Amino acid sequence: MTTLVPALEETSVPGWRLRSLPDSSRPARWTTRVYAASPVEGAAEIEFSLHSVPEHPLRACYPYGAHDLAVSIAASAGGEGLAARLLRDLVRALFTAEPRCRRVIAAPEEDDTATQLLLVEGGFLRVTEADLPCRTVVLYAVEPPRLAGLSTALDDMPH
């Protein structure tokens, strides 16, 4: 079963204008979507892509959920704060658009410290390093509040 990436409308992310971008590598089944986002009050534009983890090489890196999403983003020099704000707003919108999504992940290259810092500023937590066939990445994840707030203490587990 192919898991699709939810389509975001132009106003899906409050405070941002989204524009869908063509992607010649995108499969016909919409397992990847590419967007440009600009803040409502500004003209700067940030490109990002969304991927269905079950259809992406990252599926080999962790026990993914069927509706998990991966995000790729890069900020230009000086635009890191704006990109971090976009990530925070985007993640909330994704969890609303796809309520079955258990986590949004990102996987920058291990030596891409700028993107790693951007992800932390954007609310992602560093999870682990992982080896893909052609590179080593660092996994970052964010979970919806309904899951992130669950206690994992043994005393709180039903038994």
Side-chain angles (χ1 to χ4, degrees):
M1 178 178 108
T2 301
T3 304
L4 306 180
V5 172
L8 298 174
E9 302 299 322
E10 180 181 354
T11 58
S12 293
V13 182
W16 296 87
R17 286 186 304 273
L18 298 182
R19 183 170 54 90
S20 183
L21 298 176
D23 178 12
S24 61
S25 67
R26 180 173 48 214
R29 293 188 178 150
W30 298 98
T31 58
T32 298
R33 293 184 189 267
V34 180
Y35 293 94
S38 58
V40 170
E41 74 281 353
E45 206 168 63
I46 301 169
E47 287 187 23
F48 67 92
S49 58
L50 300 173
H51 312 270
S52 170
V53 172
E55 308 297 326
H56 192 279
L58 290 173
R59 70 182 175 272
C61 297
Y62 77 100
Y64 64 89
H67 301 279
D68 286 1
L69 297 169
V71 64
S72 299
I73 189 170
S76 59
E80 296 88 356
L82 191 61
R85 188 178 110 203
L86 170 61
L87 280 174
R88 288 188 296 274
D89 295 342
L90 175 63
V91 165
R92 281 192 295 273
L94 290 173
F95 287 138
T96 299
E98 179 50 89
R100 296 172 295 180
C101 179
R102 292 186 318 157
R103 69 184 57 90
V104 176
I105 66 164
E109 304 239 353
E110 68 178 335
D111 60 350
D112 185 355
T113 56
T115 301
Q116 292 175 32
L117 291 171
L118 168 65
L119 291 166
V120 171
E121 283 185 49
F124 284 71
L125 298 173
R126 183 184 172 115
V127 178
T128 191
E129 290 183 11
D131 290 322
L132 293 176
C134 59
R135 62 194 169 115
T136 299
V137 298
V138 181
L139 288 179
Y140 286 81
V142 63
E143 296 176 325
R146 64 182 165 75
L147 293 180
L150 291 176
S151 173
T152 57
L154 288 177
D155 290 343
D156 294 339
M157 298 289 167
H159 47 283

